[in-house]
Amino acid sequence: MKLGDSLSSIKGIGEKTEKRYEEMDIHTVGDLLACYPRSYEMYGDIMPIGQCPINERIVIEGFVEGKPVRRKGRRSSYLTCTVKDATGRLELFWFHMPYLEKMLKIGNRYLFLGKVNITKSGKKCMSQPQILKPEDYYNQKNKLIPVYRVVSGLSSRQMQKHIEQALDDVEDLDDYLNASERKRLDVPALAKSVRTIHFPDDKENVSLARKRLVFDELFLFLSEMKKIKESKGKGEKGLLFQSYEKEMDAFVASLPFSLTNGQKKVYEEILADCTKGNTPMNRLIQGDVGSGNTVLAGLALYLAVNYGYQGAIMAPTEVLAKQHYETLCQWMEPYGIKVELLTGSMTAAKKRNACQRIASGESQIIVGTNALIQEKVSYHCLGMIVTDEQHRFGVRQRENLVEKGKKDGLTPHVLVMSATPIPRTLALILYGDLSISVLKERPADRLPIKNCVVGQAYRATAYQFIEKEIKSGHQAYVICPMVEESDSMDVENVVGYRDMLVEKMPEEITVTCLYGSMKAEEKNRIMEQFSNGDIDILVSTTVVEVGINVPNATVMLIENAEHFGLAQLHQLRGRVGRGSAQSYCIFMSGNNSKKTMERLEVLGMSNDGFYIAQQDLRLRGPGDFFGIRQSGDLDFSLADIYQDAPVIELAEGFLEEMPKEQLEKRIRSSSYLSSQFHPIRSNVTL
Ligand code: ADP
Ligand code: MG
C-alpha cells in the first residue's frame, strides 16, 4: 500500500467510513497517518460513585438500575439512565445516541468514562459518557490513549484501528533524514515517530516522536517561506508615494482620538517605507491586543488613496471584515472616499456590482475576507495591501493579493498586522522578509483590565457581577468551555449554556450565542446586534477571539480557562477593556490544582502579551504539552510556535546549511513529507 492510495485500500474502511473521513479532509492513506492525536488520555482507577470528583475525566463502574428513557430537551432529545454501585447512584445523559437505549440492559454492569457535573437542581450527573469494554479498559489502563478530533459517526478508537492497519501495510514511509543527521538533530526516524505518535508507549518517546514530526512540519514551512522570499526577487520596484503632510495631518486631526506615541512611531515607519527608496514596503505590525493597529491600517490606506491608488484590507473572518468596513466608512466618508465591502456571503449580484466598481477604480478602499483574492476580482490600481490578523492566513494568500496588485512592473506596498506576540528572534525567522514594528502601548484613557482567577464555586457570584455590569449599561461575553468529543458537541454546549443562562438571568437581559459553524450571515447579524447593544450577553466559543471590537463590553467570563493556552486567553481577554470604562475578566478554572492556578495567575499579574507568552513556557516544562496549545490560532497541525521555539531554530539551522539544489530533492525523497505539502491549500498559515 502506498501513502497516496485512497482510504478504501485500508482494511475495514468502506464507503461510509470513507465519506466520514472526507468530511475531515482526509482522502489518502498519507492524510490519515498525518492526522495526529489532539491529545492523550489515561484511564485511571475505577472511582466509587459516592466519591466522584467534579469535572475530571474519570471511570466509574455501575449497574444499570432502570430502563434507559428518552426525554425531550429544549432542542433535541436525549437519553438518560441511572447507574449505581455500592457507594451511590449517578444519572447519565447522552445526546444524539438513541441506539444506546437498546444496548444498555437493566442489571448489567458497565464501565463509563466521563466527567461528573452538577445539574441545575444540584444533582450530580455525567453527560455523554463513553462506554468502555472491560477488556479495553484493563488492557489500556495507565497507558496513554490517543484522542483524535473526529466527526460524528467515527470514534477515536476506530480511527486508531484504521491507522494501525495502514501502518502495517504501508510501504513508502521513507525518511528524508539520514541516520547521522537524525543523531545530530536528536530526533527519531520518521516511520518510528509516526507509529509512536499514534501508538504511544511512554511519555518520553511520545515527546521525541512529536519533536521529530514538529521538526518536519516546520522544516516544510520554512522551506516554503524561503521559496517565496526568493521568488519575490530582489529587484522588485515599489511605488514612491509622497508624504501628503497637510492631508495626513488633517486626517489624523479628524479621528475621534489622538494617536498614542506608539502609533505615531509606527506611522512614521510606514511613511518612511512608502516615500523613501524604491522597494515596496513589507512591514509587519506586531500589536499587542487592544493597542489599536486598525488606525494604522487606515492611515496607510488613506495615504495610498491620496496618491491616486486603491488600498485593500483583508481580514480572516466576515465579522471582522464587516467591522473594519464600518470603521473605515466613518473615517473616510467625510473625505468623499468610496469604501467597498466584498465578502463570500454577499449575494451574487452584490458581489458582481462590487467587483465592477473595484475593477473600474470607483471603489478606492476595499475591505473583505479572502474573497479579495478570488480569481474574478481584479483591481484597477492597487497601491496598498493590508492583511489583518495575518497569523490566520496562509502566506500564499497574502502573496496572491500582492500578485493581483502588480502593475507596470511596480509592486504594491504591504502592511501585515498580527496580534500574536512572539519574541523578536522568532519573528525574524517566521516572518522572514518583513520588517517588524512593535506596538505595545495602549491608548491613554484605558484602565487596565481587572482580572481574577477563580474556581467553580465562584460561579454564582460571577453571574451576579455580570448582572450588575449589565444593569449599569454594559455588556458581557461568556466564553464557553471547550468540548472534548467533537465539534458538533461544541454547538450543544454553547446552546445549552445559553439556555441555562437565560433561566438564571432576569428576563430583561438578552442572551444570545455564537459559534464557528453558524452561517456567516447569522454570525454577522449577531455581532451587529451585539455591537449595537441589542444583546447583553454573548455566549460564544473562541470565534470572538479574532479582532472583534465592542468597547461597551466590560466583562468577560471564561469557563474552563485551564483548557486554553495563556497566549490565547490573553487574546480572548483583549475583547474587553477597549473603551474608557473599567473592564473585568474572570477566568474560571474547572480544576483547582496548584499548578493550574499558578499558570492562570500569570494573566492576573500582567497585561503584556509578550511577557505572558514567555511565562507560559516557563511554567510548562517540556513534555507538558498534551492537550493544551499555547496559542490556538497558528494552524500547524502539531507545532506551536511558542513551545516549539527551539525546534524552529533547529529546523531553520538545518535548512540554512542545506545546499539549495538539494532541498527540493530531499522533500521529494520522502513521500510522507511531500504528501503533506499543500502550499496552495495553505495548511501552513502565518
Ligand atoms: P487592536 O489593536 O486590538 O486591533 P483596534 O485597532 O481594534 O485594536 O482598536 C481598539 C479600540 O481602541 C477601537 O475602539 C479604537 O477606536 C480605539 N483606539 C485606537 N487608537 C486609539 C487611541 N490612540 N486613543 C483612543 N482610542 C483608540
Ligand atoms: Mg485588530
Side-chain angles (χ1 to χ4, degrees):
M1 183 195 296
K2 292 272 184 348
L3 289 165
D5 289 353
S6 73
L7 283 181
S8 54
S9 51
I10 298 171
K11 224 163 67 196
I13 298 191
E15 215 171 292
K16 227 163 104 195
T17 314
E18 203 174 4
K19 281 239 162 62
R20 303 249 148 89
Y21 278 118
E22 263 162 32
E23 281 172 51
M24 295 161 64
D25 209 12
I26 295 175
H27 309 277
T28 63
V29 175
D31 292 344
L32 180 67
L33 294 181
C35 184
Y36 305 128
R38 177 170 70 76
S39 63
Y40 297 91
E41 73 174 351
M42 216 185 260
Y43 301 156
D45 292 331
I46 292 171
M47 281 274 168
I49 289 177
Q51 294 157 27
C52 283
I54 305 297
N55 215 24
E56 274 173 44
R57 270 171 88 76
I58 49 161
V59 179
I60 57 163
E61 182 173 26
F63 291 108
V64 171
E65 201 179 38
K67 199 168 134 22
V69 266
R70 227 190 286 193
R71 293 235 168 84
K72 249 193 115 42
R74 267 171 217 261
R75 308 223 148 215
S76 50
S77 66
Y78 59 91
L79 195 71
T80 163
C81 101
T82 304
V83 296
K84 68 176 244 190
D85 69 5
T87 64
R89 288 189 166 76
L90 190 65
E91 196 165 351
L92 312 181
F93 290 94
W94 289 272
F95 291 98
H96 309 305
M97 301 175 105
Y99 51 89
L100 288 179
E101 190 178 349
K102 289 220 176 67
M103 215 188 96
L104 292 165
K105 300 258 166 8
I106 298 184
N108 278 10
R109 192 188 268 280
Y110 299 90
L111 289 161
F112 301 97
L113 168 73
K115 275 187 189 172
V116 173
N117 279 311
I118 312 267
T119 61
K120 268 178 271 176
S121 49
K123 250 179 38 187
K124 278 188 176 180
C125 72
M126 198 183 243
S127 107
Q128 214 69 7
Q130 209 176 315
I131 301 172
L132 302 177
K133 286 194 189 131
E135 66 267 26
D136 282 347
Y137 170 72
Y138 289 104
N139 280 337
Q140 297 196 294
K141 196 178 151 195
N142 296 326
K143 287 187 193 148
L144 289 169
I145 305 159
V147 181
Y148 296 93
R149 206 180 290 280
V150 288
V151 292
S152 68
L154 256 176
S155 71
S156 273
R157 185 88 193 99
Q158 278 172 309
M159 187 155 162
Q160 197 193 21
K161 281 196 175 133
H162 296 147
I163 290 172
E164 183 170 29
Q165 195 68 47
L167 276 173
D168 286 346
D169 294 342
V170 78
E171 300 147 18
D172 55 346
L173 204 52
D174 304 322
D175 210 333
Y176 69 103
L177 299 173
N178 61 38
S180 79
E181 286 167 338
R182 291 199 298 265
K183 184 142 183 267
R184 187 156 53 87
L185 298 165
D186 188 28
V187 292
L190 180 64
K192 179 163 181 260
S193 304
V194 176
R195 186 169 278 276
T196 307
I197 202 104
H198 293 295
F199 294 88
D201 37 19
D202 64 64
K203 269 199 169 180
E204 207 170 315
N205 282 337
V206 180
S207 275
L208 276 170
R210 184 185 172 281
K211 177 182 170 192
R212 166 63 209 254
L213 299 170
V214 165
F215 177 90
D216 289 359
E217 192 174 20
L218 291 166
F219 177 71
L220 254 182
F221 173 77
L222 293 173
S223 60
E224 172 71 353
M225 283 286 290
K226 191 173 176 171
K227 263 194 278 175
I228 290 180
K229 228 189 296 183
E230 276 160 10
S231 73
K232 272 170 112 172
K234 285 133 207 115
E236 228 167 41
K237 270 198 147 92
L239 299 157
L240 197 58
F241 288 179
Q242 290 157 36
S243 49
Y244 299 102
E245 264 167 54
K246 227 175 72 215
E247 290 81 356
M248 295 308 289
D249 284 351
F251 182 74
V252 169
S254 71
L255 291 169
F257 45 75
S258 48
L259 297 182
T260 63
N261 288 330
Q263 287 167 331
K264 281 184 198 152
K265 188 168 154 269
V266 179
Y267 173 59
E268 292 299 324
E269 289 169 335
I270 294 172
L271 200 59
D273 286 346
C274 300
T275 58
K276 304 201 171 86
N278 54 2
T279 49
M281 167 165 76
N282 264 307
R283 181 167 292 279
L284 166 73
I285 306 177
Q286 266 203 296
D288 200 353
V289 53
S291 52
N293 57 23
T294 313
V295 70
L296 292 164
L299 286 163
L301 295 166
Y302 185 66
L303 191 65
V305 171
N306 270 298
Y307 192 67
Y309 274 73
Q310 292 172 307
I313 173 167
M314 182 160 73
T317 63
E318 292 228 353
V319 170
L320 192 54
K322 192 89 195 298
Q323 179 185 296
H324 282 335
Y325 170 73
E326 274 151 22
T327 309
L328 289 168
C329 282
Q330 271 168 25
W331 292 342
M332 304 291 168
E333 267 166 7
Y335 297 90
I337 294 170
K338 168 82 183 137
V339 185
E340 191 78 64
L341 179 69
L342 187 66
T343 65
S345 74
M346 283 164 44
T347 62
K350 276 200 168 145
K351 270 189 239 175
R352 208 168 37 242
N353 290 337
C355 285
Q356 262 163 17
R357 290 189 293 266
I358 294 168
S360 72
E362 188 187 336
S363 320
Q364 291 163 289
I365 291 177
I366 302 111
V367 190
T369 53
N370 57 6
L372 295 189
I373 50 178
Q374 275 170 5
E375 227 171 286
K376 54 178 183 276
V377 188
S378 69
Y379 297 83
H380 182 64
C381 54
L382 205 46
M384 177 67 67
I385 287 169
V386 185
T387 51
D388 192 16
E389 308 286 345
Q390 171 63 41
H391 49 283
R392 288 276 174 118
F393 288 114
V395 180
R396 283 281 175 199
Q397 288 169 305
R398 181 178 85 215
E399 286 311 309
N400 283 346
L401 192 52
V402 175
E403 280 307 313
K404 280 185 177 289
K406 283 188 181 167
K407 200 175 171 185
D408 306 331
L410 295 172
T411 307
H413 295 295
V414 176
L415 187 63
V416 171
M417 309 202 293
S418 169
T420 302
I422 48 177
R424 192 169 182 84
T425 44
L426 268 191
L428 285 175
I429 299 176
L430 293 170
Y431 290 104
D433 52 328
L434 303 175
S435 325
I436 301 174
S437 299
V438 173
L439 190 64
K440 269 190 173 181
E441 188 186 343
R442 291 198 173 73
D445 65 343
R446 302 286 164 77
L447 297 165
I449 299 172
K450 288 193 176 154
N451 303 286
C452 64
V453 179
V454 296
Q456 311 265 342
Y458 188 80
R459 184 170 290 113
T461 321
Y463 288 164
Q464 276 164 16
F465 184 76
I466 291 176
E467 204 181 314
K468 202 179 101 222
E469 279 295 300
I470 290 172
K471 292 219 163 114
S472 65
H474 293 123
Q475 291 159 278
Y477 293 100
V478 176
I479 305 300
C480 237
M482 257 196 340
V483 161
E484 331 263 87
E485 260 65 48
S486 75
D487 289 336
S488 64
M489 277 295 290
D490 216 0
V491 177
E492 197 68 54
N493 250 25
V494 181
V495 172
Y497 198 106
R498 192 261 329 261
D499 292 349
M500 185 274 295
L501 211 53
V502 166
E503 244 159 70
K504 285 243 156 82
M505 290 285 160
E507 221 170 296
E508 65 276 14
I509 291 183
T510 42
V511 188
T512 299
C513 59
L514 184 75
Y515 46 85
S517 57
M518 270 178 170
K519 284 226 174 69
E521 299 101 278
E522 201 174 354
K523 275 192 265 190
N524 288 339
R525 185 175 52 76
I526 291 173
M527 274 321 296
E528 209 155 301
Q529 288 173 336
F530 189 62
S531 282
N532 295 339
D534 299 338
I535 293 170
D536 299 310
I537 305 179
L538 188 67
V539 179
S540 170
T541 58
T542 52
V543 291
V544 297
E545 180 194 354
V546 192
I548 303 299
N549 187 42
V550 182
N552 190 46
T554 54
V555 207
M556 175 174 277
L557 165 63
I558 304 178
E559 291 277 355
N560 283 90
E562 78 279 10
H563 280 302
F564 300 97
L566 296 187
Q568 194 178 4
L569 288 171
H570 177 63
Q571 286 288 317
L572 279 168
R573 154 174 82 181
R575 296 311 114 214
V576 295
R578 298 173 84 83
S580 53
Q582 176 65 56
S583 288
Y584 306 87
C585 189
I586 306 164
F587 299 99
M588 190 163 291
S589 172
N591 96 47
N592 299 346
S593 78
K594 191 161 161 272
K595 215 173 147 203
T596 303
M597 290 312 223
E598 190 190 356
R599 196 169 73 85
L600 293 175
E601 281 298 342
V602 171
L603 292 159
M605 288 181 296
S606 172
N607 273 318
D608 175 348
F610 291 88
Y611 171 81
I612 288 167
Q614 216 177 19
Q615 289 305 304
D616 200 8
L617 275 187
R618 192 180 62 78
L619 289 170
R620 292 200 281 148
D624 199 9
F625 45 69
F626 297 102
I628 315 178
R629 277 203 193 198
Q630 202 174 12
S631 160
D633 49 30
L634 289 137
D635 247 357
F636 290 111
S637 61
L638 273 182
D640 177 307
I641 50 158
Y642 293 102
Q643 69 198 25
D644 295 316
V647 190
I648 296 180
E649 286 176 18
L650 195 68
E652 166 75 359
F654 186 68
L655 179 66
E656 281 310 311
E657 69 193 38
M658 180 171 296
K660 211 171 127 190
E661 56 290 353
Q662 247 194 48
L663 183 60
E664 203 58 27
K665 216 172 93 202
R666 275 288 181 123
I667 291 175
R668 273 206 229 102
S669 74
S670 160
S671 345
Y672 189 66
L673 196 65
S674 43
S675 75
Q676 291 176 51
F677 198 54
H678 300 299
I680 302 306
R681 211 172 76 199
S682 258
N683 57 341
V684 272
T685 66
L686 202 73

